């Protein structure tokens, strides 16, 4: 769920100033699709509020009752950002069946460099590690807001743009490719115009670290992610925005 809703910047054109996302709540239906099978498997919600120094965002995802019998999921992402949407603190809480984990990343900046101090809490104990990048880096939630703050009129079609992501244990490189404006069909049957973007996650050396992802962002000023699609070994997951 966190990968689906994630969602770059090192060389992406920026908007002048950051959009105001305070008081926003976005709700999603997560649907499993394989052949003729369309099954509403989970729900997710992203909320944002203004703080004294910036923003606080929280993404929660949980499987529906039928899916709980197969593989229950209760995941939460939390992120504190400054007024320019730079991450300051990121936390990931994972509860998937019998697996529990908590990751915390504290960001600090030295000129154009980004440092991340990561603490990983597991049943077996607590470990720490430090990550660094020579550019602005993001986490799996703050990158979502940074992407929504781009000026899509300045993007070139079919050109790759890259940025750095700090996860709980490694540094990933996120490559985005802008495909242009398309018409998509929503879960309720309505049609919407949207910016189509593809994502690819890799580690140092080019090894793929997560499955590829496609996203369609609304063309209005809100830049709401309307649809996200991720491939699975069998079938795919589609994440639909619902008003």
């Amino acid at each position: 769920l966190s990968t689906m809703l994630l969602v770059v910047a090192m060389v992406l054109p920026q908007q002048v100033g950051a959009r105001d996302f305070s008081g926003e709540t976005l709700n999603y239906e997560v649907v499993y699709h394989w052949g003729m099978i369309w099954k509403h498997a989970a729900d997710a919600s992203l909320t944002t509020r203004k703080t004294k120094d910036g923003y606080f965002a929280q993404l929660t995802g949980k499987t529906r009752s039928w899916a709980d019998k197969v593989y229950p999921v209760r995941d939460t992402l939390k992120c504190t950002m400054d007024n320019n949407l730079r991450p300051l603190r990121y936390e990931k809480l994972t509860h998937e069946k019998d697996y529990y984990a908590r990751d915390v990343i504290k960001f600090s900046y030295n000129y154009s460099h980004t440092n991340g101090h990561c603490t990983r809490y597991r049943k077996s104990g607590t470990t720490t590690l430090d990550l660094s990048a020579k550019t602005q880096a993001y986490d799996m939630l703050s990158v979502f807001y940074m992407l929504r703050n781009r000026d899509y009129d300045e993007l070139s079609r079919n050109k790759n743009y890259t940025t750095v992501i700090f996860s709980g244990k490694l540094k990933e490189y996120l490559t985005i490719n802008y495909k242009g404006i398309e018409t998509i069909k929503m879960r309720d049957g309505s049609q919407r115009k949207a910016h189509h973007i593809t994502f690819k996650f890799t580690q140092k050396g080019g090894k793929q670290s997560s499955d590829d992802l496609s996203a369609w962002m609304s063309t209005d000023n809100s830049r709401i992610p309307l649809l996200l699609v991720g491939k699975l070994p069998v079938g795919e997951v589609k994440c639909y925005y619902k008003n």
Side-chain angles (χ1 to χ4, degrees):
L1 290 175
S2 59
T3 302
M4 285 298 298
L5 285 178
L6 355 153
V7 192
V8 91
M10 192 163 66
V11 293
L12 280 178
Q14 280 200 62
Q15 287 288 107
V16 178
R19 286 185 171 88
D20 184 6
F21 299 107
S22 58
E24 180 184 73
T25 298
L26 305 178
N27 296 308
Y28 292 86
E29 293 182 358
V30 182
V31 177
Y32 174 69
H33 174 220
W34 179 43
M36 299 297 292
I37 298 174
W38 292 83
K39 194 70 173 177
H40 185 179
D43 296 288
S45 181
L46 176 64
T47 59
T48 316
R49 62 177 173 83
K50 196 75 173 67
T51 65
K52 179 181 178 181
D53 301 316
Y55 294 90
F56 174 78
Q58 178 170 291
L59 170 66
T60 59
K62 62 178 181 179
T63 44
R64 295 176 67 82
S65 57
W66 73 266
D68 281 341
K69 299 174 182 178
V70 180
Y71 194 85
V73 172
R74 299 292 186 273
D75 287 349
T76 301
L77 305 183
K78 302 178 181 180
C79 184
T80 302
M81 299 169 283
D82 64 17
N83 283 311
N84 292 317
L85 303 177
R86 295 191 313 170
L88 302 174
R89 185 182 186 275
Y90 169 76
E91 181 176 4
K92 179 181 180 180
L93 302 169
T94 304
H95 180 191
E96 299 176 357
K97 202 171 183 178
D98 297 326
Y99 177 74
Y100 300 86
R102 177 175 175 244
D103 294 330
V104 177
I105 303 176
K106 295 182 179 179
F107 288 80
S108 61
Y109 300 94
N110 182 12
Y111 297 100
S112 61
H113 290 205
T114 307
N115 300 306
H117 181 70
C118 311
T119 305
R120 310 184 73 214
Y121 302 90
R122 301 293 186 273
K123 288 183 177 180
S124 57
T126 302
T127 60
T128 61
L129 70 154
D130 293 300
L131 301 173
S132 64
K134 295 180 179 180
T135 184
Q136 175 65 55
Y138 297 89
D139 55 70
M140 286 296 212
L141 190 52
S142 61
V143 70
F144 171 80
Y145 291 89
M146 180 278 300
L147 178 59
R148 295 177 64 194
N149 202 43
R150 300 303 101 181
D151 185 354
Y152 286 84
D153 292 335
E154 298 294 329
L155 296 184
S156 299
R157 292 185 61 179
N158 297 316
K159 180 179 178 180
N160 288 334
Y161 302 91
T162 60
T163 193
V164 175
I165 302 290
F166 288 168
S167 66
K169 61 180 180 180
L170 51 82
K171 178 170 66 175
E172 295 182 272
Y173 299 92
L174 176 57
T175 301
I176 175 176
N177 187 282
Y178 178 58
K179 300 297 185 181
I181 297 177
E182 299 176 358
T183 300
I184 61 172
K185 186 176 181 180
M186 300 300 292
R187 176 79 166 151
D188 61 5
S190 63
Q191 294 188 340
R192 298 284 297 271
K193 293 282 188 180
H195 297 285
H196 182 195
I197 306 165
T198 61
F199 301 86
K200 185 174 184 179
F201 297 86
T202 57
Q203 301 179 30
K204 186 176 181 181
K207 180 181 179 181
Q208 187 168 353
S209 52
S210 300
D211 291 333
D212 292 346
L213 179 69
S214 289
W216 286 262
M217 315 282 286
S218 67
T219 56
D220 60 17
N221 195 54
S222 65
R223 294 287 188 268
I224 292 174
L226 299 173
L227 172 65
L228 298 97
V229 178
K231 298 295 183 181
L232 297 175
V234 178
E236 63 185 4
V237 170
K238 293 189 174 184
C239 189
Y240 290 94
Y241 169 69
K242 59 180 183 178
N243 296 335

